[in-house]
Amino acid sequence: MSTATPASPNTLRDRMVDTIAAAHPLTAAVESALRSVPRHEFVPDATAEQAYADRAVTIKANPAGGLPLSCASVPSLVADMLVWLRAEPGDTVMEIGAGTGWNAALLAHLVGPDGKVVTLDIDEDVTAHARKTLDATGNTAVVVLTRDGALGAPEHGHPDRMIVTVGAWDIPAAWWEQLDPGARLVVPLSWRGQARCLGLERQGGRMVSDVVELCGFVPMLGQDGERTATIDADGLVALHFDADQSIDPAALLGVLGQPKAEDTSGITVRGDESFDGVWLRLSATDPATCRIEADRAAVDSGLCKPAIPSRSPALAEGESLAYLTLTRRETEDGVRFELGAAGHGPAGQRLADRLCDEIRRWDTARDARPTVTLYPAGTTDKQIGSRYVIDKPSIRMAIAY
């Protein structure tokens, strides 16, 4: 039987921050906030060890299953987003998605007594929890509002910073109206089946990114721009695509039963090496880009073997489809995995070749990130210039490498 004394919450918190700081470039202000605000007091149903592990903690499960309705985000991602937000003492910060209240308390620490934090959530259970934990930890000045986050909080003025802690698919008009030039927005935004956290600055009539990083968040309620449909008779393989895309899942039903056309790129990665930049490049260049999701039974039967079964990029056009694949290769440097594509349908080979061409472009600058520029809906092509544009109800999104 172990007689070791359990570590105190303060010790666990310092260990968590030490671990995050070793892998993430924290500012002194963000590190101070993380060391000062007691996360365990915002997740009372979790143990101290769970509270200070680098993982999300659910506070409201989804009765329908799947993603939770609300949770405390992974601490390292919270830290990154706070760094990208660049909040200063005296700032007014608006948070969309109240969560446990922990992030609002961190923001309150960053802006200090002369600043202001307003946090919004549509779920009254979530805001009640946040209000309770904020009050219990001395953060009584934080304003907690129960409302649709898409509306913002115009009665509290124009924020210097806005941070969105739920997954957004669009940028509502109210956010544009409340963010003045020079204001900063950090938001997890989804397009073409993948999500990236964007750090944006309002510059006149547009918002321009200086941060584009992979992320995942509970989706924001009320934004239903992503479509999902299965493309096989047993419902084992699904496509996820955007409302603006001319993808017809009915035309693709049974496409995986057609002969497979394969292409290899000649580009390899190690087993621990990320290749998510391929998807990002596809989304910035090819209007057919979407996400394919294959159930384990589909993979085991050989029906569909995407690089990552749960989430891989694909190209869907008319009655044809191609998706990213991985093939194990034994090399002089050990095991590596070659990126390639599998295509089905009349244009399957052409789509597979197109996907491999983008893999090769990614290989020339693997760490490159595009600049994402957001414009209000109605901005003309002439005003945007010759860049690839994705249209959503409230924004026009230009992506350029």
Side-chain angles (χ1 to χ4, degrees):
M1 184 176 76
S2 173
T3 59
T5 302
S8 71
N10 288 347
T11 298
L12 292 169
R13 183 162 66 255
D14 280 336
R15 287 178 187 171
M16 178 192 77
V17 180
D18 289 344
T19 301
I20 294 172
H24 299 257
L26 301 182
T27 63
V30 169
E31 182 171 343
S32 173
L34 291 170
R35 292 192 189 279
S36 301
V37 179
R39 188 176 191 244
H40 68 283
E41 294 188 25
F42 292 86
V43 285
D45 292 336
T47 65
E49 287 76 11
Q50 291 169 334
Y52 292 112
D54 195 28
R55 59 174 180 262
V57 176
T58 297
I59 62 166
K60 185 170 184 179
N62 190 336
L67 292 172
L69 295 178
S70 185
C71 65
S73 298
V74 176
S76 56
L77 179 55
V78 169
D80 284 338
M81 292 178 70
L82 292 176
V83 170
W84 300 333
L85 188 66
R86 303 174 193 166
E88 299 285 346
D91 279 350
T92 294
V93 180
M94 185 182 301
E95 179 189 34
I96 310 299
T100 63
W102 181 55
N103 200 60
L106 292 168
L107 291 167
H109 188 279
L110 290 171
V111 302
D114 295 328
K116 182 178 183 179
V117 176
V118 181
T119 184
L120 291 70
D121 204 288
I122 198 170
D123 191 319
E124 62 183 9
D125 291 339
V126 172
T127 53
H129 176 96
R131 180 74 277 164
K132 181 179 179 180
T133 56
L134 286 164
D135 287 347
T137 53
N139 292 284
T140 56
V142 173
V143 178
V144 181
L145 301 175
T146 304
R147 71 171 58 160
D148 185 349
L151 301 175
E155 71 273 27
H156 288 279
H158 291 217
D160 303 289
R161 302 287 185 265
M162 180 184 290
I163 184 167
V164 184
T165 58
V166 289
W169 184 82
D170 199 359
I171 305 298
W175 297 358
W176 283 92
E177 294 166 2
Q178 291 167 51
L179 290 172
D180 292 331
R184 191 160 180 82
L185 170 66
V186 173
V187 56
L189 190 66
S190 297
W191 70 94
R192 303 304 187 242
Q194 45 101 58
R196 303 280 164 166
C197 194
L198 303 180
L200 301 145
E201 182 179 311
R202 177 74 188 268
Q203 298 179 1
R206 63 183 186 173
M207 298 186 196
V208 182
S209 75
D210 51 34
V211 173
V212 182
E213 295 294 342
L214 190 68
C215 69
F217 275 86
V218 174
M220 185 173 178
L221 297 178
Q223 293 191 343
D224 57 353
E226 187 174 80
R227 307 286 184 259
T228 300
T230 55
I231 57 172
D232 66 301
D234 296 321
L236 299 176
V237 181
L239 288 186
H240 303 265
F241 54 97
D242 291 333
D244 69 293
Q245 294 182 276
S246 57
I247 293 176
D248 180 7
L252 292 165
L253 190 62
V255 67
L256 295 171
Q258 297 183 35
K260 181 189 295 185
E262 296 184 272
D263 192 10
T264 56
S265 68
I267 306 304
T268 64
V269 294
R270 300 186 307 272
D272 61 349
E273 193 172 3
S274 171
F275 50 88
D276 68 272
V278 173
W279 197 342
L280 184 55
R281 276 195 172 270
L282 282 168
S283 78
T285 58
D286 200 315
T289 303
C290 58
R291 169 188 164 199
I292 192 166
E293 178 185 10
D295 187 273
R296 174 52 56 185
V299 175
D300 291 344
S301 69
L303 177 66
C304 182
K305 293 186 175 182
I308 300 175
S310 63
R311 53 177 313 275
S312 289
L315 301 177
E317 198 170 83
E319 299 177 348
S320 302
L321 172 76
Y323 57 85
L324 185 71
T325 61
L326 280 181
T327 303
R328 182 186 175 98
R329 305 291 189 202
E330 300 286 346
T331 73
E332 293 180 356
D333 299 326
V335 175
R336 294 184 70 87
F337 297 87
E338 184 173 8
L339 301 174
H344 298 267
Q349 184 69 65
R350 177 171 57 81
L351 292 179
D353 294 345
R354 207 157 88 194
L355 204 161
C356 284
D357 286 343
E358 209 57 52
I359 293 170
R360 297 183 192 101
R361 292 190 186 95
W362 163 77
D363 185 56
T364 64
R366 294 191 178 192
D367 295 330
R369 291 290 184 269
T371 297
V372 179
T373 307
L374 307 183
Y375 299 85
T379 305
T380 66
D381 289 343
K382 183 178 181 180
Q383 290 172 298
I384 295 174
S386 57
R387 285 180 285 181
Y388 179 70
V389 175
I390 294 174
D391 284 308
K392 295 175 181 272
S394 296
I395 61 171
R396 305 198 73 196
M397 181 177 181
I399 311 172
Y401 276 89

